[in-house]
Amino acid sequence: MTVRTRIAPSPTGDPHVGTAYIALFNYAFAKAHGGDFVLRIEDTDQVRSTAESEHAILEALRWTGLRWDEGPDVGGAKGPYRQSERAAMYRAHAAQLVESGHAFHCFCTPEDLAEMRQAQMAAGETPKYDGRCTQLTETEVRKRLTDGIDHVIRMRIPKSGDCVVHDRLRGEISIPWAQVDMQVLQKTDGLPTYHLANVVDDHLMEITHVIRGEEWIPSAPKHQLLYQYFGWDMPELCHLPLLRNPDQSKLSKRKNPTSILFYREQGFLPEALLNYLGRMGWSMPNDAERFTLKEMVESFDIDRVSLGGPIFDIEKLRWLNGQWLKSALSDEEYVTRLMAWGFSSEFFQRALPHLKTRIDVFSDASEWLSPLWTQMPEVAPDALTAVDLSEEQTQCALQFLIWRLEALSPWDRSGVEASIRFVCEGLEIKLKQLMPLVFLALSGRQQAISAFDLAILLGADRTRARLRQALEVSGGVSKKALKRLEKSYADACRAVDSTGEAH
Ligand code: GLU
């Protein structure tokens, strides 16, 4: 048997370090067994999936140095590797399950489902589908289908007993069937849900080991049942622990930069990032701190993964990156990497319009551009208080802006400008009060190119990280104040969305 693993990202946002972490362990496992590593794009959510996100994910994973044997960009014998191009296969499989009586048509409207949910919650029950459409006669079902009534296909779930799934790291996990919903497999638009597409593809792509994040454990009973319904062997499951923030909470972009591209833009080495991710729940048998991907593969043993939530700590990553810079690169390689990071002609071409109008000699360049080369600008607390805003306004403005920018896509000048105007309107402050604060947060200086230009050149993640730093320097927002702020932020969003302004 050839070991085949896969990474199956959904292109619905920034390329997450968690994706690189799962990809790395899948890669290491496959290669340690002389097997294949596949990349599949799970874009069945047509509303949230975007081509830009897919592009960014592929670019970011390629930057890490991981290489896949099959994927949408490199092809392969089991393609296509983008789920949106496989719709007919899923439809045929859903139909097969209906035929065999393992799935059924459900004609409930969103209103029916909302009512069902409310009644169950009022009765203190966990809301789930009550199975009413399983009672329809075959004639009734046929009639509704001929009448073209909107419907989904749901899978049948045993009414009682427990489902026992085997996880390579955790042993047997037992989940009562009563907790498992009659999952929708095919949506009204005829497209599959994640569960159906994922199982069908893992089977057709001959995946032997499913190595993924522990957030998917609750889905495992449904998947196991689907394998049984189809009469297929199930790949071995292995759920890895989720990466955590230093405060133990789940790694999220609200607290930490989570985009892989952030680490590239901040000047980390991809080798150091992979090395650090390789230490998340795993270690080399000789406890070496610095190791290459090749060394990791040679020593990889997935059964040594420890289940305690690994902490993704930027300071530790920074230290490890320093180890790489100090001793792992030749001088020539060092210079090449440094230039490619922040001194490439592409970089200067982007910065040129802002430089051309401002400098008289090249030695002035760093005066204007230095915020782009620093990891984090230094923002002094008294510089923040010197801004024409009260302490509370400063904190609210920074928090509002961080939230608004989190939702901004694409990252362009007009979007950044609209976000800043949104904060002004929401907090009833003037643009000329807010801009010096944003400028200070992004540059930490008296003089630099404009805040808008900095935001564009820095990109979304570095910009947000700087705003977060300024918020911390200003004393941060207390938990209680945060609740209040969340509410007024939601109100401000609603007000803007209803008038269509500040977009
Ligand atoms: N598309 C899922 C994700 O975004 C894949 C989960 C799995 O590996 O089964 O993580």
Side-chain angles (χ1 to χ4, degrees):
M1 171 190 79
T2 308
V3 166
R4 286 173 58 86
T5 63
R6 64 7 175 225
I7 181 76
S10 298
T12 53
D14 294 332
H16 199 281
V17 282
T19 304
Y21 159 64
I22 302 288
L24 169 64
F25 280 63
N26 273 284
Y27 174 90
F29 184 80
K31 296 301 155 189
H33 290 87
D36 301 327
F37 170 56
V38 177
L39 188 146
R40 177 172 77 226
I41 293 291
E42 298 209 327
D43 56 351
T44 54
D45 183 339
Q46 297 258 294
V47 181
R48 294 175 59 230
S49 300
T50 64
E52 297 88 72
S53 170
E54 177 186 319
H55 178 81
I57 290 172
L58 292 181
E59 184 186 328
L61 287 176
R62 247 181 251 126
W63 173 77
T64 64
L66 292 174
R67 292 289 173 268
W68 37 98
D69 303 292
E70 297 164 33
D73 53 341
V74 293
K78 311 262 178 242
Y81 294 90
R82 201 177 276 116
Q83 289 187 329
S84 54
E85 293 164 23
R86 302 169 65 85
M89 296 186 212
Y90 310 127
R91 259 198 301 276
H93 283 88
Q96 184 187 329
L97 290 182
V98 173
E99 187 69 21
S100 60
H102 292 120
F104 59 95
H105 292 101
C106 168
F107 301 90
C108 292
T109 62
E111 295 74 39
D112 294 336
L113 296 173
E115 226 172 82
M116 187 187 306
R117 199 183 148 80
Q118 262 166 13
Q120 288 167 334
M121 293 205 342
E125 293 163 16
T126 320
K128 63 182 179 126
Y129 186 66
D130 65 6
R132 64 182 68 167
C133 285
T134 58
Q135 309 298 326
L136 297 174
T137 63
E138 229 176 276
T139 329
E140 180 63 19
V141 171
R142 224 169 307 123
K143 180 172 180 317
R144 292 191 191 190
L145 290 177
T146 337
D147 290 348
I149 297 187
D150 274 354
H151 61 274
V152 300
I153 293 178
R154 289 180 186 270
M155 69 189 289
R156 286 185 197 265
I157 299 287
K159 290 205 171 56
S160 57
D162 292 331
C163 172
V164 180
V165 284
H166 181 81
D167 178 278
R168 177 150 180 167
L169 296 174
R170 296 155 204 266
E172 311 231 298
I173 304 174
S174 175
I175 301 177
W177 282 118
Q179 281 175 16
V180 182
D181 206 357
M182 295 184 202
Q183 180 63 51
V184 173
L185 299 176
Q186 183 176 296
K187 298 174 280 186
T188 325
D189 59 8
L191 289 174
T193 56
Y194 152 75
H195 303 277
L196 177 68
N198 187 270
V199 164
V200 168
D201 284 350
D202 281 345
H203 175 72
L204 296 180
M205 294 181 181
E206 294 177 14
I207 299 302
T208 56
H209 296 77
V210 167
I211 304 169
R212 62 183 168 198
E214 64 188 330
E215 75 271 32
W216 297 104
I217 291 177
S219 300
K222 296 173 200 172
H223 296 185
Q224 180 161 296
L225 194 56
L226 284 174
Y227 281 99
Q228 282 166 12
Y229 285 168
F230 284 120
W232 299 335
D233 287 338
M234 182 158 102
E236 179 161 31
L237 296 183
C238 180
H239 292 94
L240 295 176
L242 282 181
L243 301 183
R244 303 196 168 264
N245 293 308
D247 67 3
Q248 304 280 345
S249 58
K250 185 181 148 201
L251 191 68
S252 74
K253 71 174 177 186
R254 291 229 148 161
K255 296 204 173 145
N256 261 315
T258 52
S259 167
I260 301 169
L261 297 172
F262 169 83
Y263 294 93
R264 180 181 73 179
E265 281 143 24
Q266 286 285 64
F268 285 86
L269 292 176
E271 291 91 338
L273 179 64
L274 277 192
N275 180 174
Y276 188 61
L277 291 173
R279 304 197 60 213
M280 297 285 102
W282 191 79
S283 56
M284 287 291 268
N286 64 0
D287 278 331
E289 288 183 298
R290 182 162 69 75
F291 49 86
T292 62
L293 179 59
K294 188 164 168 283
E295 286 163 344
M296 176 169 174
V297 168
E298 281 161 7
S299 303
F300 192 67
D301 174 3
I302 201 157
D303 299 316
R304 288 187 42 249
V305 167
S306 95
L307 293 177
I311 306 282
F312 186 85
D313 182 341
I314 300 187
E315 283 311 309
K316 296 217 168 101
L317 169 58
R318 196 184 144 85
W319 174 85
L320 189 61
N321 200 74
Q323 300 302 304
W324 273 85
L325 284 185
K326 285 185 182 80
S327 42
L329 301 180
S330 67
D331 288 357
E332 200 188 336
E333 182 72 0
Y334 198 120
V335 173
T336 311
R337 300 284 195 102
L338 179 62
M339 303 250 306
W341 168 69
F343 304 91
S344 62
S345 65
E346 196 222 333
F347 169 82
F348 283 106
Q349 263 157 32
R350 290 178 67 213
L352 196 59
H354 315 302
L355 218 47
K356 245 185 160 172
T357 50
R358 290 183 168 103
I359 71 170
D360 298 318
V361 283
F362 290 150
S363 46
D364 289 342
S366 81
E367 183 60 26
W368 296 93
L369 297 184
S370 74
L372 297 169
W373 287 309
T374 51
Q375 161 130 337
M376 227 12 127
E378 259 179 56
V379 177
D382 44 345
L384 274 177
T385 43
V387 170
D388 181 23
L389 290 170
S390 70
E391 189 179 87
E392 198 190 338
Q393 283 175 319
T394 298
Q395 292 162 350
C396 294
L398 288 169
Q399 185 60 77
F400 264 42
L401 189 55
I402 292 167
W403 283 337
R404 194 67 180 173
L405 292 178
E406 258 170 29
L408 180 62
S409 173
W411 185 261
D412 58 19
R413 213 189 140 97
S414 64
V416 171
E417 202 174 322
S419 306
I420 289 180
R421 287 188 188 281
F422 163 86
V423 175
C424 290
E425 271 170 46
L427 295 174
E428 295 177 7
I429 54 179
K430 297 205 174 66
L431 194 63
K432 67 173 197 284
Q433 288 175 287
L434 181 57
M435 286 317 289
L437 172 62
V438 179
F439 179 76
L440 180 65
L442 298 189
S443 73
R445 299 167 62 90
Q446 306 273 337
Q447 179 163 293
I449 61 172
S450 83
F452 289 126
D453 297 325
L454 275 177
I456 295 309
L457 289 172
L458 285 167
D461 298 286
R462 292 178 86 195
T463 298
R464 283 201 314 264
R466 288 175 187 213
L467 294 170
R468 262 199 306 271
Q469 168 183 261
L471 182 57
E472 268 163 40
V473 173
S474 77
V477 183
S478 70
K479 272 221 172 97
K480 214 164 126 210
L482 200 64
K483 280 250 141 45
R484 246 194 352 252
L485 217 54
E486 260 165 356
K487 202 181 155 298
S488 47
Y489 178 75
D491 291 343
C493 287
R494 258 193 304 276
V496 166
D497 292 341
S498 63
T499 59
E501 277 169 27
H503 271 291

